[in-house]
Amino acid sequence: MKQVKTAAALAFASAVIVTIIAGCAKSAPPLEAPPRIFASAEEVELNFRGRTFVLGDNNQTAEVRPLDWRKDKFLKLPFWFGVNILVPGVMAPKEGDFYVISEAALEKPLDTPGEWMIEAGSSLVKQQTVFVTTRTRYLTPGKILPTIVQYIGKREFKRPDGKTVNIPVLREVSLPMKWTLGGIIPASYARYRT
């Protein structure tokens, strides 16, 4: 019995010593978050929700700024490339993230007011996408001026052949981009009211 008590006391003492030594050791430096490339959700909401904006000339990353900012100051957002059909998982969109749609076209209104089926994505691969407007009321089909949107997931649709497909859904965040190319907006663009 005495040997059991001695063994228990030694085990306890060893545990205390290990704890003290571990407490004195240098802790690993905290992991740093990788530098942020794109604007945060807060920055997008504060600067662009329900407002028009200016789009820069970069065709790889959308450089956006409110109308009242200096021309050399902007925030970056990714362009909407869709749910990459050619290389699954590469640049896959994340629910809740913000994107800029550019070179998209309204195809047809859906049954719910303010919802359109659009062709959106890169200039090489366009795919059907549901576009939910919040403040812009489109009057005609046509190209859409670049708009900041939020990816909100996918919605099931039945094709005419009965097969079910999942289509990405984008919700409008900003108003359409301010036309900066001079003259009037060409007739190929959809007409709208805000």
Side-chain angles (χ1 to χ4, degrees):
M1 184 75 157
K2 190 174 184 180
Q3 288 178 341
V4 172
K5 286 184 181 178
T6 304
L10 283 174
F12 177 73
S14 297
V16 169
I17 291 170
V18 168
T19 303
I20 291 170
I21 291 171
C24 294
K26 282 187 174 180
S27 60
L31 294 176
E32 291 184 26
R36 197 179 53 173
I37 298 170
F38 300 118
S40 69
E42 181 181 22
E43 290 171 317
V44 172
E45 292 290 341
L46 286 173
N47 293 296
F48 302 108
R49 174 67 65 185
R51 297 169 61 189
T52 194
F53 66 98
V54 174
L55 179 64
D57 295 331
N58 188 332
N59 63 3
Q60 301 296 313
T61 300
E63 296 174 345
V64 294
R65 66 179 171 83
L67 299 178
D68 57 347
W69 282 16
R70 299 183 326 259
K71 290 186 180 193
D72 62 340
K73 181 180 176 185
F74 54 84
L75 296 172
K76 292 182 178 182
L77 288 173
F79 283 108
W80 173 256
F81 290 111
V83 184
N84 200 326
I85 300 167
L86 300 177
V87 186
V90 174
M91 296 182 66
K94 294 185 179 105
E95 286 186 32
D97 279 357
F98 295 90
Y99 299 88
V100 173
I101 54 171
S102 179
E103 300 195 20
L106 294 172
E107 286 188 330
K108 64 179 181 177
L110 298 176
D111 293 334
T112 306
E115 291 189 358
W116 288 79
M117 188 64 70
I118 66 172
E119 284 286 324
S122 71
S123 57
L124 297 175
V125 179
K126 300 267 191 221
Q127 77 178 84
Q128 286 193 314
T129 304
V130 175
F131 181 45
V132 179
T133 61
T134 55
R135 297 189 52 158
T136 305
R137 192 171 130 235
Y138 286 94
L139 308 172
T140 63
K143 290 194 281 187
I144 304 170
L145 286 170
T147 304
I148 298 171
V149 296
Q150 187 173 30
Y151 175 56
I152 58 174
K154 293 183 181 179
R155 188 183 301 167
E156 270 189 12
F157 283 86
K158 286 232 188 236
R159 293 190 338 196
D161 64 4
K163 190 174 183 182
T164 301
V165 293
N166 289 309
I167 296 181
V169 181
L170 301 174
R171 181 181 298 130
E172 174 186 60
V173 172
S174 72
L175 295 177
M177 172 196 95
K178 177 180 173 48
W179 183 257
T180 57
L181 299 178
I184 61 169
I185 299 172
S188 59
Y189 283 89
R191 298 298 172 226
Y192 64 90
R193 289 193 185 125
T194 57

